[in-house]
Amino acid sequence: MDRMEFRLLGSIDAGVGGRRLDLGPRKRRFVLAALLLDLNRPVPVERLIDAVWEGTPPASARVTVQGHVYRLRRALFGARLETTPSGYVLLADQDEVDALRFRRLVAAAQGADDAEGAELLEKALGLWRGPAFGGPGGGQALELAAIELEEARLAAVEELARRLLRLGRPERAIAPLRAAVAAEPHRERLVSLLMTAFSRAGRQAEALELYDRTRRSLADELGVDPGPELRGTFAALLSPQP
């Protein structure tokens, strides 16, 4: 059988041999996501229910989940999705799941030098197609998993930027930093790194404008001043370069 691909870093999706599989409605995809997050381990039906419904699930939740699993088994050619005494287990290679591949690449980057580490981090970040699991929706289990994955993505962007700056490649750091700052404008470490990248790329005016915009946004929306790291970066930009 051709290699299967499961995608969670964006809309929940699956494909095989270049062909996209019909997974059905979004709640069924939430069931698949919950199974993939515990790949090769039994997942109790109660956890699948928690992944699908916000708040109190309907009385029919267990039967509905069983129906989704039945249809997923058919979509995934049967053999990959097995029944256990307490629930279900999805069998696959970890490299077939983009979220697990992302984590593996990030972990590999930690022990690599700056050049190799930057390459691994760029590969990891390139797996993202949008918000984890396609954005808000589903139950608390998926919501918490999405928050964790997003934090890992932002941490990877920060680490990639630090490595690219050390390698003297500030222009290459700007695009991923700019996208991350647009999504998290009050994450001061990202802003500080983007200001530094702008400055080292000879784009001082953009660095200063970013600081001013962030300072005003922090004051207007959160009622706080920039923290020490961001203030330090701003001060460094104003200091004469040796």
Side-chain angles (χ1 to χ4, degrees), residues 1 52 99 125 142 170 231:
M1 182 183 293
V52 173
L125 291 165
L142 285 193
R231 293 198 309 272

Side-chain angles (χ1 to χ4, degrees), residues 85-155:
S86 62
Y88 304 95
V89 58
L90 181 59
L91 303 172
D93 188 290
Q94 290 203 357
D95 274 351
E96 294 180 304
V97 185
D98 62 356
L100 301 180
R101 198 156 68 248
F102 165 77
R103 290 193 178 281
R104 181 180 61 78
L105 288 166
V106 169
Q110 293 176 357
D113 61 28
D114 282 342
E116 183 184 0
E119 183 178 346
L120 290 168
L121 289 166
E122 286 180 326
K123 286 181 180 178
L125 291 165
L127 296 172
W128 285 77
R129 299 166 292 113
F133 316 128
Q140 186 179 36
L142 285 193
E143 181 181 352
L144 293 175
I147 291 171
E148 184 181 349
L149 281 167
E150 177 63 13
E151 178 58 34
R153 183 184 72 83
L154 293 174

Side-chain angles (χ1 to χ4, degrees), residues 124-193:
L125 291 165
L127 296 172
W128 285 77
R129 299 166 292 113
F133 316 128
Q140 186 179 36
L142 285 193
E143 181 181 352
L144 293 175
I147 291 171
E148 184 181 349
L149 281 167
E150 177 63 13
E151 178 58 34
R153 183 184 72 83
L154 293 174
V157 171
E158 292 174 0
E159 180 61 19
L160 171 62
R162 283 190 287 267
R163 288 172 181 260
L164 290 174
L165 290 171
R166 288 197 294 265
L167 290 166
R169 302 173 187 170
E171 285 284 2
R172 195 160 154 184
I174 288 173
L177 282 170
R178 178 178 266 160
V181 167
E184 294 286 341
H186 297 148
R187 189 172 173 116
E188 295 188 32
R189 182 161 296 170
L190 284 172
V191 175
S192 178
L193 285 166

